[in-house]
Amino acid sequence: MSDCRPATHGLEANSCADVRAHEGRGRARSTLRFGRFRLLLLCMVANHVMAATAPQPTSTAGAAAPPTIETRVSASESGEIADRIRGILAEIGPLREVQVQVSAGVVTLSGTVPTAEDIQRAEAIASRVAGVVTVQNDLERDLALTTTLTPALDEFEAGVRGWLRALPLIGVALAIALLVVATGYLLASIDRLWRWLMPNPFLAEITASLVRLLSIVLGLVVALELLGATALLGGVLGGAGVVGLAIGLAARDTAGNYLASLMLSLRQPFRANDHVVIDGHEGRVIRLTSRATVLMTLDGNHLRIPNSIVFQSVILNYTRNAERRFSFDLGIDADDDSLDAMEVGLEAMNALAFVLDTPAATAVIENVGDSNVVLRFFAWIDQTDTDFLKARSLAIQATKAALEDAGFALPEPIYRLRFDEHAAPPIAMRAPTAPAEPADRRPHRRRSVASASEGDIAPDTHIDRLVFEERAQDHRDDLLDNTKPIE
C-alpha cells in the first residue's frame, strides 16, 4: 500500500484520493475473481458427485427390440401372408388340410390334423412368418380311425422297407458275430488247455465260462459296429450293467457260495472219505462240488452242506490223525481209596491189546459227589485197525469188571427223605438186611484180573464201501484233489 500523508495543498489532496480509489477497485476485482473461482470449483464437485450417484443407463445393444405393430396392414399384404403360410403348410403332409385366414396381421388356423404335435408345429410355423402379429390356433386333432392308423402304417411300412434293404448287411454282421461266438465256445471247450493253465479245476471252469461270456459280448459289439448302431450298443451295455447289478444283489448268497467253493478248492481242508464234523453234522466226505459238500452220515444217508457254511464253520476231522483218545467215567464208593481204584482200572485197560502203550493210558478224579467219587479214564487207540466205539465199550467193560473184582463198590445215588414231625407217621417198613462186609475190606486185597475178551474191534467198513461206490460214479465237478496239500 502506498504512503499517503495528509495534504496541505489542493493538488496533492486530489492525487491522494485517486490513489485510494484505485486501490479500492483493485481489491474489489480480486475479491470478485476469487468468488468466481470458488463458485466454479463448487459446480465441478457437484457435477462429479451427481455423475457418480446417478443410475447408469442399461445397454440395449445386445437385446432384441420387441417387434412393433404397424398401424396399417393392407389387404394385399394380408393375402400375401396367407399365401405364404399356405405354401409352407402345403409342403408338410399332415398340415396340408390346414385352413389359413389373415386379417390385420392376425393369423387364424382351422381344420384338423392327425396328432397334437402337428397342432403345435403349425402354430410355430405361422408365427415365424414376417408381418404376423399373433396366431389364433383353432386346429383340432382328427380322431378318425383311418386318419390315426394311416401314418402309423406308413411309418411301419417305411421301417420294413429299410430293414429289407439292410438285410444283406444284417446277414454279414450276424455271420461275423456267430463266428466270433463259435470261436470263443470252441476255445472254452478245450478242458486240457484250461486245466494246464489253471491247475485248480474250479478256476479252470470259471475261466472257460468267462471266455464264453466275452465271446458273446465281442460278437455283439462287432455286429452292432458293422450296422452302425453304436448308440444302441451303449444302451444295451448300460441296461446289461443295471440288470447284472440287480441280479448280483438278488443272488449275493449264490455268489458268496461260489466264492466259498473257490476258496475250499484252493485250501483243500479234507480228503475223500475223511470222518468230519461240520457245523454239528457228522459223516464221511463223498465229494466237494462247486455248490456244496456232500457227506455220507454214519447212518448211511446223504447230507449236502452249502459251501458257504462249510467255509465259515469249524471243521473237526477225525481221520487226519490215526491215533485217537477215548474217555469214560466210573464212580466208586466215597470210602474207597481213589488212587488204588485208578491203579486197578489202568492195569485192566493196559491189559487190552488195542490200547496203545504210547501215549499211555491215564486216569483222574473228575468229581467228588455226595455218595461217590467219579473217576475218568483215558486211553489211546489206532483207528486204522481198531473201531473207536467198539474199543471204548470193551475198555469200559474191562475196567468195571476189574474194579468190582478188586472189591470196589460202584454205588447207586443215595437219597435222604425228611418228614415233617406233624405229618402222619410213616408206614413201618422192614429194613433190608445189609450184606455182611468181609473182614478184610480195608485194605483191599488185590485180585488178579482176568483178561477181558476183546471180541471184534475191527473198524466198520460198510460206510467206507458206500463212499467208494459213490465216488466211483462219474462226477466231473468234484473239486477234491489228492495231489494238493491239506491246509
Side-chain angles (χ1 to χ4, degrees):
M1 179 182 291
S2 63
D3 185 17
C4 185
R5 296 180 179 86
T8 57
H9 301 285
L11 181 59
E12 293 179 356
N14 292 334
S15 299
C16 188
D18 293 339
V19 170
R20 291 191 184 98
H22 178 73
E23 290 178 355
R25 287 194 297 269
R27 287 193 297 270
R29 285 195 297 270
S30 300
T31 303
L32 180 60
R33 284 196 298 270
F34 182 72
R36 289 177 179 177
F37 176 74
R38 287 191 302 173
L39 180 61
L40 180 60
L41 181 61
L42 290 175
C43 290
M44 292 176 62
V45 171
N47 290 334
H48 180 72
V49 171
M50 293 178 62
T53 58
Q56 300 295 329
T58 57
S59 176
T60 59
T68 58
I69 301 177
E70 297 182 2
T71 57
R72 293 182 180 181
V73 178
S74 62
S76 60
E77 291 179 355
S78 298
E80 291 177 357
I81 294 174
D83 293 339
R84 178 57 177 163
I85 295 174
R86 292 191 190 98
I88 295 174
L89 298 181
E91 299 298 328
I92 304 174
L95 305 180
R96 291 175 182 174
E97 303 299 329
V98 175
Q99 301 176 5
V100 182
Q101 295 181 355
V102 181
S103 177
V106 178
V107 179
T108 303
L109 303 178
S110 59
T112 58
V113 292
T115 63
E117 290 78 7
D118 294 333
I119 297 176
Q120 302 298 328
R121 183 165 58 163
E123 181 178 352
I125 292 173
S127 62
R128 293 171 58 188
V129 177
V132 175
V133 177
T134 184
V135 178
Q136 179 68 30
N137 195 343
D138 294 334
L139 293 174
E140 297 179 355
R141 182 183 175 184
D142 191 358
L143 299 178
L145 185 61
T146 56
T147 306
T148 305
L149 290 179
T150 300
L153 293 176
D154 293 341
E155 185 177 357
F156 176 75
E157 183 180 357
V160 171
R161 290 178 179 176
W163 280 102
L164 291 176
R165 289 194 299 268
L167 277 180
L169 182 59
I170 294 175
V172 173
L174 183 60
I176 295 177
L178 291 177
L179 180 61
V180 173
V181 173
T183 303
Y185 270 75
L186 180 62
L187 186 63
S189 63
I190 306 176
D191 295 336
R192 293 183 179 179
L193 173 63
W194 303 116
R195 290 185 182 274
W196 177 70
L197 295 175
M198 304 289 178
N200 185 277
F202 190 53
L203 280 177
E205 181 182 353
I206 293 178
T207 306
S209 300
L210 288 177
V211 170
R212 296 187 187 96
L213 179 60
L214 290 178
S215 66
I216 294 175
V217 174
L218 182 60
L220 181 62
V221 170
V222 171
L224 293 179
E225 186 69 26
L226 289 177
L227 295 175
T230 53
L232 178 61
L233 176 62
V236 170
L237 294 179
V242 174
V243 173
L245 179 61
I247 294 176
L249 292 176
R252 58 182 180 273
D253 294 337
T254 303
N257 194 62
Y258 270 96
L259 181 60
S261 302
L262 176 60
M263 298 304 296
L264 290 175
S265 65
L266 294 175
R267 295 184 176 182
Q268 296 288 320
F270 36 71
R271 299 290 192 206
N273 200 31
D274 277 0
H275 184 187
V276 297
V277 179
I278 303 174
D279 194 33
H281 304 286
E282 185 176 1
R284 298 272 185 170
V285 177
I286 298 178
R287 68 178 58 87
L288 172 65
T289 67
S290 58
R291 293 172 296 277
T293 299
V294 184
L295 301 182
M296 176 73 72
T297 65
L298 302 182
D299 298 330
N301 300 318
H302 276 242
L303 178 63
R304 298 176 64 88
I305 307 176
N307 285 335
S308 58
I309 298 177
V310 176
F311 183 71
Q312 298 176 1
S313 299
V314 176
I315 302 176
L316 176 60
N317 195 329
Y318 291 119
T319 309
R320 299 317 306 160
N321 188 6
E323 297 177 353
R324 184 177 176 185
R325 190 183 73 171
F326 64 85
S327 63
F328 59 89
D329 296 340
L330 287 177
I332 62 173
D333 192 272
D335 296 332
D336 291 337
D337 188 351
S338 301
L339 297 179
D340 197 8
M342 287 191 295
E343 184 179 353
V344 172
L346 291 176
E347 183 180 353
M349 283 201 306
N350 289 326
L352 300 175
F354 55 81
V355 174
L356 299 179
D357 296 332
T358 304
T362 58
V364 295
I365 299 176
E366 178 64 20
N367 187 23
V368 177
D370 296 334
S371 58
N372 64 349
V373 177
V374 179
L375 305 180
R376 177 164 294 181
F377 295 90
F378 302 91
W380 290 80
I381 63 169
D382 188 352
Q383 296 185 95
T384 57
D385 53 8
T386 304
D387 186 82
F388 177 81
L389 296 178
K390 293 178 182 180
R392 183 175 181 273
S393 300
L394 293 177
I396 293 175
Q397 175 63 28
T399 306
K400 176 179 177 295
L403 291 175
E404 290 177 343
D405 292 343
F408 292 93
L410 305 181
E412 297 177 355
I414 299 175
Y415 300 95
R416 295 182 180 181
L417 302 180
R418 179 179 178 182
F419 296 94
D420 189 14
E421 61 181 0
H422 299 291
I427 300 175
M429 298 181 62
R430 179 180 297 177
T433 303
E437 294 184 357
D440 57 350
R441 179 172 175 81
R442 291 191 175 49
H444 288 290
R445 184 175 56 189
R446 292 298 181 87
R447 303 179 182 179
S448 59
V449 181
S451 299
S453 176
E454 298 181 6
D456 182 16
I457 60 172
D460 188 3
T461 60
H462 181 67
I463 299 297
D464 296 344
R465 180 174 56 83
L466 293 178
V467 172
F468 178 78
E469 291 176 356
E470 287 286 339
R471 291 189 56 81
Q473 301 177 7
D474 185 14
H475 288 282
R476 298 182 180 179
D477 59 344
D478 189 6
L479 303 180
L480 295 176
D481 190 356
N482 295 331
T483 61
K484 294 184 177 179
I486 292 181
E487 181 178 313

